[in-house]
Amino acid sequence: FAAVPMAAPGDLLTTRYFGAVRKEDVVYHVGDYVYLREGPDPQYVAQILCFLEPPDRELKALIKWMFRPSDVSKAALREDCDKAHELYASDKQELNPVRFFDGKPTVLPIGQVEDMARFCEGSDNYFYRLWYEPDTTCYYDAPRIDRGPWKHSRGEPVVDHNG
């Protein structure tokens, strides 16, 4: 399973996977967008691909990063971007501890935003229209997706993580 590249032989047999996690009063589901924060750094935005608990027992999430205009190379930055509400989707994935979760924003592809002015009134509302490739600093049109292959049933068990 490629999602756990640092797994030692036999670890995959003892890794547990979850469809949802409760941290404090927020339930995070696979496919949701999440704020991540470590210390005083600004919040980052990512999409949850899966939850797993490897043998080290620290609950983690495989996430797919979203980039803010301030994170994107100026050479790739669109002149017409909305710096407050626009994000760039990416395929860059990493494992992150759930302890860094810091709330849930609303993130939609631009085609699903019906009233942009009203949508942008919310400080936790973001849209994306382009995919960004950080290794090449290029962007391209976002494919049409509906939460991708990780779409799941919200009826799955929820694991508590309040530590």
Side-chain angles (χ1 to χ4, degrees):
F1 180 64
V4 191
M6 70 288 287
D11 281 358
L12 295 179
L13 299 176
T14 58
T15 297
R16 297 184 325 156
Y17 296 86
F18 304 95
V21 169
R22 179 179 294 114
K23 181 177 182 249
E24 297 164 5
D25 291 333
V26 180
V27 177
Y28 300 92
H29 295 272
V30 169
D32 285 348
Y33 290 89
V34 62
Y35 287 122
L36 292 129
R37 181 189 304 267
E38 181 177 9
D41 293 336
Q43 292 175 319
Y44 295 97
V45 180
Q47 186 176 32
I48 301 166
L49 301 178
C50 74
F51 293 104
L52 56 131
E53 186 180 53
D56 70 8
R57 308 288 295 165
E58 181 174 19
L59 191 60
K60 297 177 183 171
L62 178 65
I63 53 98
K64 185 167 65 168
W65 290 110
M66 304 293 288
F67 289 91
R68 295 179 191 270
S70 59
D71 301 325
V72 173
S73 163
K74 294 208 185 303
L77 189 62
R78 292 174 55 111
E79 290 180 21
D80 65 340
C81 84
D82 175 343
K83 290 184 175 66
H85 296 278
E86 186 166 2
L87 298 174
Y88 291 86
S90 81
D91 289 324
K92 183 176 175 72
Q93 299 176 12
E94 290 181 347
L95 279 175
N96 271 271
V98 169
R99 64 185 152 91
F100 295 140
F101 283 16
D102 192 31
K104 290 178 12 176
T106 298
V107 179
L108 296 174
I110 194 167
Q112 292 182 13
V113 178
E114 294 178 18
D115 181 342
M116 185 61 75
R118 176 178 270 166
F119 184 76
C120 288
E121 289 174 0
S123 62
D124 289 323
N125 293 345
Y126 301 93
F127 69 90
Y128 65 91
R129 58 179 146 186
L130 297 173
W131 236 250
Y132 177 67
E133 174 52 57
D135 296 331
T136 63
T137 66
C138 293
Y139 62 88
Y140 51 95
D141 290 336
R144 295 177 56 111
I145 61 169
D146 181 19
R147 293 185 175 257
W150 49 87
K151 190 173 180 180
H152 76 290
S153 164
R154 296 226 186 248
E156 294 178 15
V158 175
V159 63
D160 275 316
H161 180 72
N162 291 309

